Amino acid sequence: MADIKTLIAELTQVAENPAKAVAELKKETGKKLIGMFPYHLPEEIVYAAGMLPVGMWGGQTEIKLADKYLQSFCCSLIKANFEMGMDGTYKKFLDGVIMAAYCDTLKCVCEDWKVAVSELPLIAMYYPQNRKIAAAVPYMENEFKLVQAQLEKIAGKAVTEADLEAAWEVYEAYRAESRKFVKLVGKLPKTLNATTRHLIIKAAWFMDKKVYTEKLAALNAAIEAAEAEEFKGAKVIVEGILVEPVALLDAFVENDVCIVGDDVAHQSRMFRVEGRKEGSVYEKMAYRIVDAYADPLLLDEKKEHGKELINMVKEYGADGVVVCAMKFCDPEEYDYPIFKAELEAAGIPVLYMEIEQKMESVGQYKTRIQAFAETLA
């Protein structure tokens, strides 16, 4: 059986050096790469077209060019992505970008990108606002076909039904192993601390999903075979769009706080919904959006976010919830007052932290995490 430390090192190295990992991916596979601008994008179609999807989750970038197009109250994730598009960072290895409009900022960015980063083809797509009505599924199927037609031009090949079926199976296997991994973290809270857990999940955005799944499956098997670690620190669920920079996660580790589960767009929201077994690939892809739950980026008329967080606290035996709110993210901000009240009514401690990708210092956050850990103890 593969060694846990070796498997962890292989995956974390990818996540710690995404530019290097993606450059090597392009060189080793010879395949074209398509950027996935957050969130919920049809990666299976890219894979079926013989290309590889790559996550676009911003980074520690100084904003010099993007402010020409984006308002000051735009979230740092989108600003960083736009900056790296304009300064040529993404052009070095991407052959195209897929973007869906979930908020007012993304609606503008779809059009701005065509002008500011015209050399990098943009494929814009739109999910239905009301995904629960009967018309939603055929509408999404049509959107996927439009995306496929544009990807075929970039790939220089047609995508067959067999290609789509094979890609779907690759991604369902990835999602299944990812769901398994996040449930196993609590067994080894020291080895799979907050930082390591994050990096292992993050690595998937910069690897061939088939290769990543094989490594993650081996890691899951090794975790299952290992002895459980004794842990006396606090266990929490994290909520938000993205939990970075890494220095922020290190603060959890330093204060013996283990992230045993997450409701994060960058992490579990991408794989927590299992696909249906019946129908065409496009129908199954559409129903993954229909069946998504408690997601602020998708219409949730029943407002189940708080209920889901309470269920996660019980399932993972967590002591509290840490909200890592992306500054200026309207969908997340709309949900917070509602689920905060529900968590407090259930007697669940909540720590709210407003974060940005590029933060000059995480000192104040370390202090707040330390104080929260002490209250949980």
Side-chain angles (χ1 to χ4, degrees), residues 15 40 116-117 148 315 321-322 355 374:
H40 297 303
V117 199
Q148 177 180 322
E315 178 184 356
V321 172
V322 178
I355 65 172
E374 289 173 357

Side-chain angles (χ1 to χ4, degrees), residues 48-82:
M51 301 183 288
L52 296 176
V54 173
M56 296 172 68
W57 290 90
Q60 300 294 301
T61 304
E62 185 176 353
I63 306 301
K64 296 180 179 179
L65 304 172
D67 283 341
K68 180 180 178 181
Y69 291 89
L70 303 178
Q71 64 272 38
S72 59
F73 49 87
C74 169
C75 83
S76 59
L77 170 56
I78 294 178
K79 272 191 176 181
N81 266 344
F82 207 85

Side-chain angles (χ1 to χ4, degrees), residues 303-365:
K303 294 298 178 185
E304 297 179 322
H305 202 162
K307 178 182 176 182
E308 173 61 16
L309 287 170
I310 293 169
N311 289 339
M312 290 181 70
V313 168
K314 294 176 181 178
E315 178 184 356
Y316 290 95
D319 302 303
V321 172
V322 178
V323 178
C324 294
M326 184 69 71
K327 190 173 183 179
F328 298 130
C329 178
D330 290 345
E332 285 279 340
E333 290 173 349
Y334 293 149
D335 263 21
Y336 176 65
I338 300 172
F339 72 70
K340 175 179 181 287
E342 293 172 341
L343 290 171
E344 290 178 341
I348 298 171
V350 183
L351 170 62
Y352 179 89
M353 298 190 297
E354 189 175 64
I355 65 172
E356 292 187 277
Q357 272 201 305
K358 184 176 175 56
M359 295 190 290
E360 297 299 327
S361 171
V362 297
Q364 64 168 309
Y365 297 96

Side-chain angles (χ1 to χ4, degrees), residues 96-112:
V97 171
I98 302 179
M99 189 185 304
Y102 288 99
C103 61
D104 290 342
T105 299
L106 278 171
K107 290 173 185 175
C108 297
V109 170
C110 282
E111 297 306 312
D112 290 339

Side-chain angles (χ1 to χ4, degrees), residues 6-7 14 56 80 108 137 171 185 196 280 282 288 294 337 339 345 377:
T6 300
L7 289 165
V14 171
M56 296 172 68
C108 297
V137 171
Y171 271 80
V185 168
T196 301
S280 68
Y282 282 159
R288 283 198 71 248
F339 72 70

Side-chain angles (χ1 to χ4, degrees), residues 28-154:
E28 291 171 5
T29 65
K31 294 183 177 181
K32 292 182 177 180
L33 307 181
I34 303 297
M36 300 284 105
F37 209 108
Y39 321 84
H40 297 303
L41 295 172
E43 294 186 45
E44 293 92 333
I45 308 177
V46 177
Y47 205 88
M51 301 183 288
L52 296 176
V54 173
M56 296 172 68
W57 290 90
Q60 300 294 301
T61 304
E62 185 176 353
I63 306 301
K64 296 180 179 179
L65 304 172
D67 283 341
K68 180 180 178 181
Y69 291 89
L70 303 178
Q71 64 272 38
S72 59
F73 49 87
C74 169
C75 83
S76 59
L77 170 56
I78 294 178
K79 272 191 176 181
N81 266 344
F82 207 85
E83 182 73 21
M84 288 192 279
M86 292 184 71
D87 70 13
T89 300
Y90 284 139
K91 298 173 196 173
K92 295 175 183 177
F93 47 83
L94 294 183
D95 299 281
V97 171
I98 302 179
M99 189 185 304
Y102 288 99
C103 61
D104 290 342
T105 299
L106 278 171
K107 290 173 185 175
C108 297
V109 170
C110 282
E111 297 306 312
D112 290 339
W113 188 278
K114 296 173 185 177
V115 177
V117 199
S118 57
E119 315 91 276
L120 198 53
L122 172 70
I123 301 173
M125 63 172 296
Y126 303 89
Y127 285 110
Q129 183 67 23
N130 190 341
R131 57 200 167 93
K132 298 293 186 179
I133 61 176
V137 171
Y139 172 85
M140 280 188 272
E141 287 185 77
N142 187 61
E143 283 291 289
F144 294 148
K145 289 175 183 177
L146 292 173
V147 170
Q148 177 180 322
Q150 294 177 78
L151 286 172
E152 287 175 335
K153 293 179 181 178
I154 297 173

